[in-house]
Amino acid sequence: MHGRITPLAAAAAAAALLLTGCTTGTTSAGSGGSSGPSTDTIRTALNADPTTFNAAKANAKDDYEVARFLFDTVVRRDADGKFIGGLATDWTSTATDASLTIRKDATCADGTAITPSIVAKSLSYFADPATKNNFGKLVFGPGQPTITADDSAGKVSIKLAQPWSELIGGLTLAQTGIICPAGLADLDGLAKGSVQGAFSGPYTLTKASHGVSYDMTLRQDYKAWPKWSKEPEGTPAKTVRFFPGVNKTTVANQLLTGEMDVSDIAPADTARFESNKDYTITTVPFAGIFLLFNQRPGSPFTDPALRKAVAQLMNQQAFNAAAYANKGITYNSIVAPTVACALQDNSHITKEDTAAAKAVLAGKTFKMVGTTSIGPNGAGSTYVQEALRAAGATVDLNLVDNGTWATMTQTKPETWDMTVQGDANFVGTVAASLTRIAGVPTEKGGRNIGGGENADILADISQAQAATDDTQRCDAYTKAQISALEDNDIYPFVGEPQIVAQRPGFAIQAPSGIVDYGTLRITK
């Protein structure tokens, strides 16, 4: 493969665009004429304070967003399922290795030239089990990759321990952003965002006030912008200011009054903008939302009968109404219907049976942790709690902000028995979501939040990654998805739509159906 994805992956990404709706208002590039942009700042909101500014240890959506500004990846996503160069100008890959040519004009924020050796050291740190990065296995597959550099040839070589055909797609993730030597030399400072020389991306973090705001400042020396097939219209902001923890209804109000420029809004607020021709609304599938059970030793949900009983209380339509004002995307499995090899119908999802569930669950008590970002004030988790209460069970629900939720579910498994999981599948593959319930647990550096062994699913994933054609790959993925559903490792609710409102004079792009905050622009 040479600078592109397989037909299967391309089809999946193209299909994702079918769910991308865009209502375009009067915003246009160059409307400021020769006088230039009317402002040099873009204001946007975060769900919560970032948990870290170390891209390799990013846990939550807010971490991913800020990482995209601060660190460049070797490859980026373009339109129509294609990949384009980031820090790499060219690449070749197979299921077991890859070779990337690194551009010669990229620098760190402290002026250090970004060489293949710097790229290789950063990717090796990302892949190191000691980093406890739960995305490493998604990018490189099982086992440890061997990553080497040849500075004289300008190349980085990656050799995988086992076949993993989705390597290039994984390298687009913001978590793989290249950390410069100054950051790797001061990991504590890197996490705090205080090492200016750590950054390889177009912005540096110049102001951080926890719970108040974060300022990113554009580097004047930055030259490594990706060459998108359709160049984003407008001008990059000199300052991007993030406001954490703002209620989404408040965000919608601020967008309408001009206090916010571009931001995610809640599904219930969409109508406030769709009727206003001056605003642009971009809607894409963002995350699969499902009920996830903790299956580690000591958790009640090692018992498949309990998992089935809880699943028998769930109703996808009722959850959609409670959390997303009926604007969620119907799911038949652990991935969106637009992902290649997704199941085509819901025949393997546990059917609702309240009477059977009550017979099993009455008198039981469970611990649940939920994020306030899934549904208004955590309505998604509240729906689950109330469904179990009506069946005679007690659910001790701990609703927390998104960053705290991600930390608890991924590093403190003793604090919860179940959670409503939001799975942002930026790679767009079945394996990306299946590894949330199979493989190495998150507290040991893997991606498996559920913590169950699920060796059969791991075997199916390995078979899919080693497959020589799309039919073989989908056969293996189909088997794994059916296993996950029939064993009630998860109960799928809906796909969460990401709805981004842009007020006049500001724009953002969603190449291949994934919102890229690095494309934020001022258009007048």
Side-chain angles (χ1 to χ4, degrees):
M1 180 168 68
H2 182 74
R4 66 181 192 275
I5 53 178
T6 65
L8 178 66
L17 292 175
L18 295 177
L19 288 174
T20 303
C22 186
T23 304
T24 305
T26 59
T27 298
S28 61
S31 58
S34 60
S35 62
S38 58
T39 180
D40 62 5
T41 300
I42 295 177
R43 298 161 299 177
T44 188
L46 296 170
N47 287 328
D49 291 280
T51 66
T52 182
F53 291 98
N54 179 344
K57 294 177 75 68
N59 272 333
K61 177 177 181 286
D62 307 296
D63 302 343
Y64 314 154
E65 289 183 15
V66 297
R68 181 59 75 193
F69 287 87
L70 299 173
F71 303 97
D72 272 348
T73 54
V74 291
V75 186
R76 297 286 286 272
R77 288 191 179 273
D78 198 8
D80 300 325
K82 296 179 181 178
F83 296 147
I84 55 173
L87 289 176
T89 58
D90 198 6
W91 58 90
T92 58
S93 70
T94 70
T96 57
D97 57 39
S99 175
L100 303 104
T101 302
I102 305 304
R103 62 190 299 162
K104 297 179 179 179
D105 60 348
T107 62
C108 301
D110 61 3
T112 301
I114 297 178
T115 62
S117 289
I118 286 175
V119 172
K121 288 177 182 177
S122 179
L123 290 177
S124 295
Y125 166 71
F126 170 79
D128 189 342
T131 304
K132 293 187 176 180
N133 180 296
N134 60 46
F135 285 85
K137 303 302 181 187
L138 175 59
V139 176
F140 300 112
Q144 281 304 110
T146 301
I147 305 172
T148 57
D150 184 340
D151 287 338
S152 61
K155 293 183 180 295
V156 170
S157 297
I158 302 173
K159 294 187 181 300
L160 303 178
Q162 297 180 35
W164 193 258
S165 59
E166 293 157 3
L167 169 63
I168 298 301
L171 289 172
T172 68
L173 293 176
Q175 293 90 327
T176 68
I178 301 306
I179 301 168
C180 289
L184 293 181
D186 181 3
L187 295 178
D188 288 341
L190 174 66
K192 297 173 184 176
S194 60
V195 184
Q196 292 296 298
F199 307 129
S200 61
Y203 287 83
T204 61
L205 179 65
T206 51
K207 180 182 177 182
S209 180
H210 187 84
V212 180
S213 65
Y214 298 87
D215 281 8
M216 306 281 188
T217 300
L218 182 66
R219 291 172 49 193
Q220 296 302 307
D221 63 338
Y222 184 76
K223 301 177 182 178
W225 295 107
K227 294 182 179 179
W228 285 280
S229 56
K230 182 180 180 182
E231 197 66 25
E233 297 179 342
T235 304
K238 290 184 179 179
T239 301
V240 179
R241 181 164 296 143
F242 299 87
F243 296 94
V246 184
N247 177 279
K248 286 194 175 181
T249 297
T250 301
V251 168
N253 293 337
Q254 292 176 331
L255 283 160
L256 290 167
T257 59
E259 300 169 78
M260 198 80 73
D261 303 312
V262 178
S263 193
D264 292 3
I265 59 172
D269 290 317
T270 307
R272 302 173 65 187
F273 296 89
E274 288 177 334
S275 60
N276 190 326
K277 64 183 179 63
D278 291 331
Y279 284 79
T280 300
I281 300 296
T282 300
T283 302
V284 299
F286 171 65
I289 308 298
F290 44 85
L291 185 60
L292 178 67
F293 300 102
N294 187 344
Q295 295 187 51
R296 295 167 178 83
S299 170
F301 290 115
T302 55
D303 182 352
L306 283 181
R307 299 198 303 270
K308 181 177 181 179
V310 174
Q312 287 174 323
L313 293 175
M314 299 298 109
N315 181 287
Q316 289 178 316
Q317 290 73 32
F319 180 92
N320 194 6
Y324 296 116
N326 293 311
K327 292 184 180 293
I329 300 159
T330 299
Y331 263 41
N332 295 322
S333 183
I334 199 168
V335 293
T338 51
V339 172
C341 308
L343 299 182
Q344 298 303 304
D345 60 60
N346 65 0
S347 60
H348 299 284
I349 296 176
T350 295
K351 299 299 184 287
E352 199 170 357
D353 189 337
T354 303
K358 285 182 177 179
V360 175
L361 295 172
K364 297 289 194 301
T365 298
F366 307 110
K367 295 178 294 185
M368 182 177 185
V369 62
T371 169
T372 54
S373 69
I374 295 181
N377 300 313
S381 297
T382 303
Y383 162 80
V384 174
Q385 181 189 38
E386 287 302 305
L388 268 77
R389 182 195 61 76
T394 299
V395 176
D396 296 327
L397 174 60
N398 185 11
L399 271 177
V400 294
D401 67 72
N402 203 55
T404 302
W405 165 80
T407 299
M408 291 179 68
T409 56
Q410 296 180 29
T411 66
K412 299 178 180 179
E414 71 282 358
T415 63
W416 61 281
D417 299 321
M418 69 175 84
T419 189
V420 176
Q421 176 72 34
D423 180 40
N425 190 337
F426 292 126
V427 181
T429 65
V430 175
S433 293
L434 284 175
T435 48
R436 290 304 195 184
I437 57 170
V440 180
T442 51
E443 68 273 17
K444 296 180 180 179
R447 286 178 50 77
N448 182 0
I449 297 175
E453 182 177 349
N454 283 328
D456 55 340
I457 291 178
L458 280 180
D460 293 333
I461 293 172
S462 294
Q463 184 177 347
Q465 291 294 336
T468 56
D469 63 55
D470 292 348
T471 299
Q472 291 177 341
R473 182 175 295 110
C474 283
D475 285 346
Y477 277 149
T478 295
K479 182 182 175 185
Q481 291 174 86
I482 291 173
S483 174
L485 294 178
E486 293 187 346
D487 290 345
N488 293 292
D489 296 314
I490 60 107
Y491 178 90
F493 285 124
V494 294
E496 176 185 355
Q498 184 175 11
I499 305 168
V500 186
Q502 303 134 72
R503 79 180 183 92
F506 302 88
I508 195 168
Q509 306 299 316
S512 292
I514 297 173
V515 173
D516 186 339
Y517 274 81
T519 65
L520 272 173
R521 296 292 186 269
I522 300 170
T523 58
K524 71 175 183 180

